Amino acid sequence: MSASNQQQQPPLHQRVGVLDPVFRTREHMRRTIRALGHAPLVFEDLQELLFMPAASLRCSAMCIGLPRRRADLTKWISGARNAVGPGVPLLFLTRENLLKPLQSLGCDERDLMVAAPSSFSDVYVGLEGCMTRHALPPTGPGLTWGDYRFMPSLKTVLVEGDEIRLSPLEFELALEFFHNIDQVLTRQWLTGMAAGLAPSASGRWLNACIARLREKLHLGGARGCEWRLIHIRGQGYKLSRSGPVVAKKGRRY
């Protein structure tokens, strides 16, 4: 590996591990870790984690979504703990409304738990709190796209200084679009990533929710906004930049 490539690689101590069998929460954790300026190291199954060389598992924290089967709980947690080392704090995402004592999960005072994380915001706030507690300050740009700055703890978007309040469901869908700029997101994808917040599994609510997003965040191409959220018949929805805009004084694009 060349010296220039070595310089581009994130330091190992900035890695944050993820072990979770559920795709949706794995993606939420991956995006959160990147937004906070760290490098995600993501595993779907414990065996994938255990096969990694020890030198590659020097993580500053480890996020764990509990296994699908309760019978695997002890093996799942002890295996992850042994793989990353006893000094690495664990963040548990239980996906249940059962506030078990951390001790029952084999945890110590360094660990934290986020109960029933149903959204990206839950994961973001939980991991941010874990990092703050263990002196791992964010080093990344946060959740910012152009003039849009997303505030997960408040379900708020700041647009050129104006605060726009969104419902938890609207906030979740807005982030899906901004995380996937210029990509067509199917109705199935959007309803799946919004699971736990949606009023029903049918997806009938989706059109109305997206219409509200267009209006609240000015994504219809009006008012000079460069972002457009469009419906692509038979495929889904896509957020894209409509083209270069005239730079405002004091701003760069």
Side-chain angles (χ1 to χ4, degrees):
M1 181 182 295
S2 66
S4 60
N5 286 338
Q6 288 179 342
Q7 292 176 355
Q8 294 174 1
Q9 296 297 318
L12 288 179
H13 72 274
Q14 287 191 338
R15 286 183 175 173
V16 174
V18 174
L19 174 62
D20 196 301
V22 178
F23 173 79
R24 181 169 61 91
T25 47
R26 280 203 312 277
E27 282 301 294
H28 287 338
M29 285 191 277
R30 187 196 307 273
R31 295 170 181 176
T32 294
I33 292 164
R34 286 176 175 162
L36 295 173
H38 294 257
L41 195 61
V42 182
F43 305 94
E44 179 179 359
D45 184 79
L46 178 61
Q47 292 303 314
E48 296 177 6
L49 173 63
L50 297 180
F51 276 124
M52 284 290 292
S56 299
L57 288 174
R58 296 211 305 270
C59 300
S60 54
M62 186 75 190
C63 305
I64 299 181
L66 302 189
R68 299 181 187 277
R69 297 196 319 150
R70 285 188 172 276
D72 297 331
L73 181 61
T74 301
K75 180 181 178 182
W76 186 265
I77 295 175
S78 62
R81 173 79 76 191
N82 292 336
V84 299
V88 176
L90 304 184
L91 174 67
F92 291 95
L93 296 98
T94 67
R95 292 189 294 274
E96 299 176 359
N97 287 312
L98 299 175
L99 292 174
K100 293 184 176 182
L102 285 173
Q103 293 81 0
S104 69
L105 296 173
C107 310
D108 59 35
E109 65 276 3
R110 291 172 54 83
D111 302 326
L112 291 174
M113 180 170 65
V114 177
S118 60
S119 68
F120 175 92
S121 297
D122 292 340
V123 176
Y124 187 98
V125 172
L127 182 55
E128 186 179 41
C130 180
M131 288 184 166
T132 299
R133 178 175 176 177
H134 296 290
L136 302 168
T139 60
L143 296 163
T144 302
W145 291 271
D147 287 335
Y148 290 78
R149 183 182 177 196
F150 286 75
M151 311 288 287
S153 61
L154 302 174
K155 309 294 190 299
T156 293
V157 182
L158 297 179
V159 183
E160 297 184 342
D162 295 332
E163 181 178 339
I164 301 174
R165 288 275 180 174
L166 301 177
S167 71
L169 177 57
E170 292 166 351
F171 193 88
E172 192 80 358
L173 288 178
L175 278 175
E176 275 306 300
F177 287 116
F178 276 95
H179 276 299
N180 294 281
I181 294 169
D182 291 328
Q183 296 184 45
V184 178
L185 301 183
T186 65
R187 298 179 66 89
Q188 183 180 10
W189 175 277
L190 292 168
T191 54
M193 293 301 286
L197 297 174
S200 70
S202 68
R204 295 177 180 175
W205 47 269
L206 188 58
N207 291 348
C209 188
I210 289 178
R212 290 194 299 270
L213 276 182
R214 282 201 188 102
E215 180 180 357
K216 288 184 177 183
L217 298 183
H218 317 307
L219 301 177
R223 297 182 59 176
C225 181
E226 72 270 32
W227 297 96
R228 292 193 65 193
L229 177 57
I230 62 174
H231 175 241
I232 300 179
R233 187 177 181 86
Q235 297 184 50
Y237 296 87
K238 180 174 74 170
L239 177 70
S240 60
R241 268 185 158 151
S242 58
V245 296
V246 177
K248 301 175 184 178
K249 185 176 181 180
R251 296 183 183 272
R252 296 181 64 188
Y253 292 85

